[in-house]
Each structure stands twice: as C-alpha cells, then as structure tokens.
Amino acid sequence: MNPDQYRVKPGKSVRLKDWHTDDDGGLSKDEGKDLTDELLEGLAEWQERLFAESKQSLLIVLQARDAGGKDGTVKHVLGALNPNGVHISNFKVPTDEERAHDFLWRVHAQAPRAGQVGVFNRSHYEDVLVTRVEGIIDNRSAKARLKHIGNFEALLTDSGTRILKFYLHVSPDEQRQRLQDRLTDPSKHWKFNPGDLEARAKWDAYTEAYESALGTSTAAAPWYVIPADRKWYRNLLITRIVLNTLKEMNPQYPHVSFDPLEVEIK
C-alpha cells in the first residue's frame, strides 16, 4: 500500500473515472483494521508532540458526496486524537452575516492555531462546489474562487500550517446502498436528508465540479483521492497519511527551564 498513489500531482488534471473507489491495498478487512489500530497509537503520540510544541498546526480537509464517509472518518480516525488539541468545523449554508463578507471570511476564523489539528468536515470548497452546481455562481466566478482558495492555503502554509485535503471517492452504487440503509435502519433516519437525492440526480455535474476543485492540489496543500467504498481501507489510508505528515513535521517537546532531577516532591 503506497499512499502516494492516491495523491493528486500539482498541475495535473483529474478525471475521477480514472480513480478506483473500491481498492483494498491487497489486504483483508481484518488485516486492515489491525494495521489501523497500530497506526492510531502512533498518531496519538505524534499529536501530543504537536500540541506540546505549539509552533505548527495541521489542517485536514474532508470533502465527499453525501454518505461518502466524512463523519465516519472523524469518528474512527480523528477520534483517536486528544480532543484538547483538535478543532472540528463544518461550513453549511452561510448565514446573513457570513454572506455580508467575502466567502473565505468565515473560514479563516476556523483555521487551526499553533499546536492544533484542525478538521474541516466540509470546507471552503463547498462555496465552489455547491454554488457552482446550483447555479449560484458561474464557471468564471468558480475559477476565481479556486484561485483565491489557493492563495488562502498558501497563506496558511507560510504561517506554519500543513494542509491535507481528502476527497472520499465513493461509487454511485455504494452511495445508493448507504442512503438506503439510512431509510431502512430507524437509528439512521435522522441522517437522511431528502435533499441528498436531488444532489445525487446531479452526479455528473458534481463530478465536474469536484474535478476542477481537485486541480488545486499543490506540494504544500495536496489533494488525495481516497477510495471510500471500503470504510476500513479509507480509515487505514487516511490514518497512515496523517501519521506520515506529522512525522515529517517532526514536532519536538519543548525544553524546560529547570532540571527535573533536582525537583523534590514532598
């Protein structure tokens, strides 16, 4: 399993039909889950170092179609982190106050501070994806917004924030099954939104919009197209990528101004 194979190369155009949704990395489900559990232990340790150092931050962007697995990723991967060092945000329909500002105004305020892992469960890309497909903005405006997003992400990077962007790539058949499960299981009724069916009917339009958004992948703020039909493999891939990134950031525990060996606790 090589996570880099799911990374969108900078300047490369994306056709989602060329990316698989059901990869398993040559592993069985049990093997994948066991490996994920091992990696999650390391993930928690490196997050503690990041929190203690408080000089860098990590922003994780999760984008997907409805029922693509964003909440599941937060629960099963990011749930292993210390909540004191995690800030989760999501960006739904903007309020009147938010509409009175530029589209990134509400986003910048949620960027993670030094020492934190920030999670955008739906992100600033919503203001390019949904707005474009629903005809709120035209293609020209969408391209302008993507350029602004690139500059915004460059600003965060220059300020010490590493960025990882994950598109959870789910197939139409798998989405249909997950939406049906929400109707069949009473405990999942609350998850179902009739509006999801309207978005599903615009599958091709959303595909085109996502392909444009994925073109914003850069070396500093890469997109990863994560095969998401198999939930356990999705979790494994994202855990490994986040862990590898934290290790690359190499946060260090701060030096103390005293000698611990000379401290006597009575």
Side-chain angles (χ1 to χ4, degrees), residues 53-147:
E53 182 193 61
S54 291
K55 293 181 178 179
Q56 309 174 78
S57 58
L58 174 64
L59 173 60
I60 297 172
V61 172
L62 299 176
Q63 284 290 155
R65 301 176 192 265
D66 298 312
K70 299 180 299 298
D71 291 343
T73 299
V74 171
K75 178 179 180 180
H76 296 289
V77 177
L78 304 173
L81 303 180
N82 184 334
N84 286 323
V86 179
H87 181 66
I88 300 175
S89 310
N90 57 67
F91 301 96
K92 300 181 180 180
V93 177
T95 64
D96 290 340
E97 175 67 17
E98 291 167 344
R99 287 194 188 96
H101 296 80
D102 67 87
F103 79 100
L104 287 172
W105 175 78
R106 62 175 181 163
V107 180
H108 202 164
Q110 301 301 321
R113 70 180 190 179
Q116 279 193 332
V117 176
V119 182
F120 287 177
N121 182 359
R122 292 191 185 271
S123 70
H124 42 304
Y125 286 92
E126 289 292 296
D127 287 306
V128 181
L129 297 164
V130 176
T131 53
R132 179 181 179 184
V133 173
E134 299 303 327
I136 299 172
I137 62 174
D138 57 21
N139 289 340
R140 181 178 179 181
S141 297
K143 291 180 180 179
R145 287 192 174 192
L146 288 174
K147 183 177 181 180

Side-chain angles (χ1 to χ4, degrees), residues 16-239:
L16 284 174
K17 67 179 182 180
D18 296 333
W19 297 75
H20 296 295
T21 63
D22 60 350
D23 284 358
D24 60 11
L27 300 170
S28 69
K29 184 175 181 179
D30 288 340
E31 289 173 333
K33 285 187 172 183
D34 288 344
L35 182 54
T36 300
D37 289 342
E38 294 177 14
L39 295 174
L40 286 174
E41 292 182 10
L43 189 64
E45 293 174 6
W46 280 91
Q47 184 228 355
E48 182 179 9
R49 293 167 65 114
L50 181 75
F51 184 71
E53 182 193 61
S54 291
K55 293 181 178 179
Q56 309 174 78
S57 58
L58 174 64
L59 173 60
I60 297 172
V61 172
L62 299 176
Q63 284 290 155
R65 301 176 192 265
D66 298 312
K70 299 180 299 298
D71 291 343
T73 299
V74 171
K75 178 179 180 180
H76 296 289
V77 177
L78 304 173
L81 303 180
N82 184 334
N84 286 323
V86 179
H87 181 66
I88 300 175
S89 310
N90 57 67
F91 301 96
K92 300 181 180 180
V93 177
T95 64
D96 290 340
E97 175 67 17
E98 291 167 344
R99 287 194 188 96
H101 296 80
D102 67 87
F103 79 100
L104 287 172
W105 175 78
R106 62 175 181 163
V107 180
H108 202 164
Q110 301 301 321
R113 70 180 190 179
Q116 279 193 332
V117 176
V119 182
F120 287 177
N121 182 359
R122 292 191 185 271
S123 70
H124 42 304
Y125 286 92
E126 289 292 296
D127 287 306
V128 181
L129 297 164
V130 176
T131 53
R132 179 181 179 184
V133 173
E134 299 303 327
I136 299 172
I137 62 174
D138 57 21
N139 289 340
R140 181 178 179 181
S141 297
K143 291 180 180 179
R145 287 192 174 192
L146 288 174
K147 183 177 181 180
H148 289 312
I149 285 175
N151 291 332
F152 168 66
E153 291 176 350
L155 172 62
L156 295 184
T157 298
D158 290 344
S159 303
T161 300
R162 285 288 294 270
I163 303 174
L164 293 173
K165 300 180 290 189
F166 298 108
Y167 171 64
L168 311 183
H169 191 25
V170 67
S171 66
D173 288 343
E174 180 64 21
Q175 187 200 53
R176 180 193 62 77
Q177 184 59 56
R178 293 181 186 179
L179 292 176
Q180 185 61 54
D181 288 344
R182 293 179 178 182
L183 292 172
T184 305
D185 185 348
S187 69
K188 296 182 179 180
H189 286 174
W190 65 274
K191 289 186 175 183
F192 186 80
N193 180 352
D196 294 348
L197 300 182
E198 297 177 12
R200 178 174 168 81
K202 300 174 182 177
W203 188 277
D204 291 342
Y206 272 100
T207 294
E208 183 179 352
Y210 268 114
E211 289 174 345
S212 295
L214 293 169
T216 65
S217 188
T218 64
W223 273 108
Y224 289 84
V225 179
I226 302 296
D229 281 4
R230 303 175 193 268
K231 298 176 182 179
W232 63 268
Y233 191 61
R234 172 202 72 201
N235 295 340
L236 173 58
L237 271 179
I238 294 177
T239 301

